Amino acid sequence: EEVARKGRRSSGINAEYGYFYPIKYLSWFRYGFGSLIINEFEDLELGCDNSSTTRCVFTNGNEVLDYYNIDTGDIWFPNLVAVLIMGTGYLTISVFILWLRVRQTDKGAEEKKTA
């Protein structure tokens, strides 16, 4: 049963694909989703009574976080810090590439003027 494996869920990467392991640290979505799920589920009471016909798997949000092995202390570092660093890095790379393209276009326009 899925509930019996509580707290033992892996990060989704099997040992046979170990070369993919470093890629998870480059994922923008990993850090963003980590912060989102901590924000939504930390100390949340899930208003679940076992008297209903629906079976409750989790009684509070901290159980959900434990099930997915998410530490509530990660909301600021590494999650938020990584998103800010990646965003700044992607913006810097984009501006640099745009600058190169504009420079290349300006050189082409100057060559046409002199010809």
Side-chain angles (χ1 to χ4, degrees):
E1 184 174 322
E2 191 73 21
V3 178
R5 297 185 313 137
K6 179 179 170 187
R8 294 190 189 107
R9 184 170 285 255
S10 68
S11 62
I13 299 173
N14 296 332
E16 61 212 38
Y17 300 112
Y19 48 87
F20 286 126
Y21 185 76
I23 293 174
K24 77 176 189 177
Y25 294 108
L26 300 175
S27 172
W28 174 281
F29 299 106
R30 174 182 184 246
Y31 299 109
F33 178 73
S35 293
L36 175 73
I37 199 167
I38 291 169
N39 185 47
E40 291 299 317
F41 284 105
E42 187 177 21
D43 299 328
L44 177 69
E45 288 301 321
L46 294 176
C48 184
D49 59 347
N50 286 326
S51 63
S52 68
T53 58
T54 306
R55 196 175 126 230
C56 299
V57 178
F58 304 111
T59 58
N60 63 37
N62 291 330
E63 289 180 4
V64 176
L65 296 174
D66 288 341
Y67 179 76
Y68 288 108
N69 292 329
I70 296 175
D71 183 18
T72 57
D74 288 350
I75 194 164
W76 296 108
F77 183 81
N79 290 346
L80 183 64
V81 173
V83 168
L84 291 175
I85 289 172
M86 286 182 182
T88 304
Y90 294 149
L91 180 65
T92 303
I93 291 169
S94 300
V95 168
F96 179 71
I97 291 171
L98 182 62
W99 176 76
L100 287 176
R101 293 210 42 181
V102 167
R103 194 175 119 197
Q104 184 180 25
T105 305
D106 287 346
K107 283 184 180 179
E110 287 176 15
E111 288 175 5
K112 285 183 180 179
K113 277 185 181 179
T114 57

